[in-house]
Amino acid sequence: MASKTKASATKAKNLKTVKRKDGLIVNVGDHVELEGYDAVGTVRFAGLGQHEKAMGKQRIGVEFSDAIGKLSGLIGGVRYFKCKPKHGVFVGLNKVQRVVTAVSPEYNATSKDNPLYNGDDAEAEPEPEPEQ
């Protein structure tokens, strides 16, 4: 009987913040409107593309609450972020129409105190039992 092996994806480096040529700054955790999508999504990745079509280009990964996207954060064998299938998109900064709700760079997804923290897709540690 042959066993199935799951190929592991390369993990992309999340820079957490990117800046467009016109000065617009986008942080992980920001809520944004994108050209071509009739919804506000949450930025889950901000950094450089590492798969063939986006190599070295600034990109953001956005998660929507509804299945209006195209992917789950995995593109070309590279894991940029995690979300439900068809809830995410990976786009260039030119697609950002506006930042609806911005998070402070000091309080973005790099802060474990932030409820939006996406710590390298790590499992959350269980909370300690309260002392009796």
Side-chain angles (χ1 to χ4, degrees):
M1 176 187 265
S3 65
K4 292 183 180 179
T5 347
K6 190 175 182 180
S8 63
T10 303
K11 179 101 172 103
K13 180 172 175 61
N14 195 341
L15 300 176
K16 313 292 186 198
T17 300
V18 288
K19 185 175 180 179
R20 201 163 64 182
K21 289 180 183 178
D22 66 0
L24 177 74
I25 295 173
V26 179
N27 295 296
V28 169
D30 286 352
H31 296 121
V32 295
E33 286 182 356
L34 299 176
E35 179 183 313
Y37 294 90
D38 190 24
V40 173
T42 303
V43 177
R44 298 293 184 205
F45 174 88
L48 301 177
Q50 295 178 14
H51 65 284
E52 187 177 346
K53 290 184 179 180
M55 187 62 73
K57 298 176 184 173
Q58 283 194 347
R59 295 286 186 257
I60 59 170
V62 177
E63 178 182 15
F64 295 108
S65 58
D66 295 322
I68 62 169
K70 299 177 181 178
L71 48 89
S72 66
L74 179 67
I75 308 154
V78 179
R79 169 66 63 195
Y80 291 95
F81 62 102
K82 267 188 173 178
C83 68
K84 293 178 187 174
K86 299 194 184 242
H87 282 68
V89 294
F90 192 69
V91 297
L93 294 177
N94 61 321
K95 296 291 184 187
V96 178
Q97 291 184 318
R98 73 184 183 110
V99 176
V100 178
T101 308
V103 295
S104 162
E106 294 81 31
Y107 188 72
N108 68 13
T110 62
S111 169
K112 290 185 180 182
D113 296 329
N114 185 342
L116 297 174
Y117 177 67
N118 192 2
D120 294 332
D121 299 324
E123 293 291 324
E125 291 182 27
E127 293 197 20
E129 292 292 320
E131 291 185 27
Q132 302 271 335

